[in-house]
Amino acid sequence: MTPVDPTAGPGRAPTSAGLLLAAGAGSRMGMPKALVHDERGSWLQRGVEVLRQGGCDPVVVVLGAAPEAADLLDDSVTVVVAAGWADGMGASLRAGLAALAGLGPDVPSVVVSLVDLPDLVPEVVSRVVGAAGAAAGTLARAAYDGVPGHPVLLGRDHWAGVAAAATGDRGARDYLATADVVLVECGDLASGRDVDSRGRAHPEK
């Protein structure tokens, strides 16, 4: 992977689509994470806003275990229900990339994020896209104290390869392991940790 200086981005960040994966049943959480909220509100709504405020347009959300969570989103969000969501993240990622491809050739890249990253902020998204660029050949991801994490930026040229390699719960991991990926340090902005247990989180009322 190729690290970059996170403070050396261009003045005007390029644009990318956003893809939020929120299909899982959340077995350790005790409920689908698409329906979780905490003291700051809905994780699903916040995940969408992080992508949107980070400069992503359009934004696609993949649901599965809780398709009713679509009611939490406005009409500007494209919602896809992954038929094979129970097979793992790979099925959700494939469904999301297929939906983005169907939006037409004007979408050069996508920022992929997860619904269970409640401390992710828009600045992480804009830093990754701004540092790496949004061209169709780009591959990049956020890092936290040097450890690769989410979000991940996938240029359109890589979507077919990512989809082919996305099986089970591995998502884009195997594809990225074989490619030159720009690593953008974001540990000063967020922890990058996902949340698997309920803690203070509770169902959306």
Side-chain angles (χ1 to χ4, degrees), residues 163-188:
T167 59
D169 248 343
R170 300 186 70 81
R173 184 188 312 171
D174 290 347
Y175 185 88
L176 295 174
T178 66
D180 184 16
V181 181
V182 176
L183 206 59
V184 183
E185 179 59 48
C186 297
D188 58 317

Side-chain angles (χ1 to χ4, degrees), residues 22-36 63-66 85-86 88 92:
S27 56
R28 284 178 287 180
M29 180 69 68
M31 63 181 300
K33 294 178 183 179
L35 297 176
V36 173
L63 298 176
W85 67 266
S92 298

Side-chain angles (χ1 to χ4, degrees), residues 27-189:
S27 56
R28 284 178 287 180
M29 180 69 68
M31 63 181 300
K33 294 178 183 179
L35 297 176
V36 173
H37 79 287
D38 56 23
E39 66 278 2
R40 295 169 55 205
S42 162
W43 283 11
L44 185 66
Q45 292 172 336
R46 187 154 75 241
V48 168
E49 284 307 306
V50 165
L51 289 171
R52 185 177 283 152
Q53 293 176 22
C56 295
D57 182 38
V59 174
V60 173
V61 170
V62 180
L63 298 176
E68 67 273 21
D71 293 339
L72 299 173
L73 303 173
D74 61 45
D75 292 341
S76 68
V77 179
T78 298
V79 176
V80 179
V81 177
W85 67 266
D87 294 335
M89 187 188 300
S92 298
L93 180 56
R94 292 195 305 271
L97 291 176
L100 284 161
L103 294 179
D106 295 333
V107 181
S109 60
V110 60
V111 175
V112 182
S113 188
L114 309 178
V115 74
D116 59 358
L117 303 174
D119 81 335
L120 190 66
V121 293
E123 290 79 8
V124 171
V125 175
S126 58
R127 178 179 289 182
V128 170
V129 180
T138 302
L139 284 174
R141 69 186 311 175
Y144 303 90
D145 296 328
V147 179
H150 283 82
V152 176
L153 176 63
L154 303 175
R156 191 185 188 100
D157 291 349
H158 300 279
W159 292 0
V162 168
T167 59
D169 248 343
R170 300 186 70 81
R173 184 188 312 171
D174 290 347
Y175 185 88
L176 295 174
T178 66
D180 184 16
V181 181
V182 176
L183 206 59
V184 183
E185 179 59 48
C186 297
D188 58 317
L189 297 174

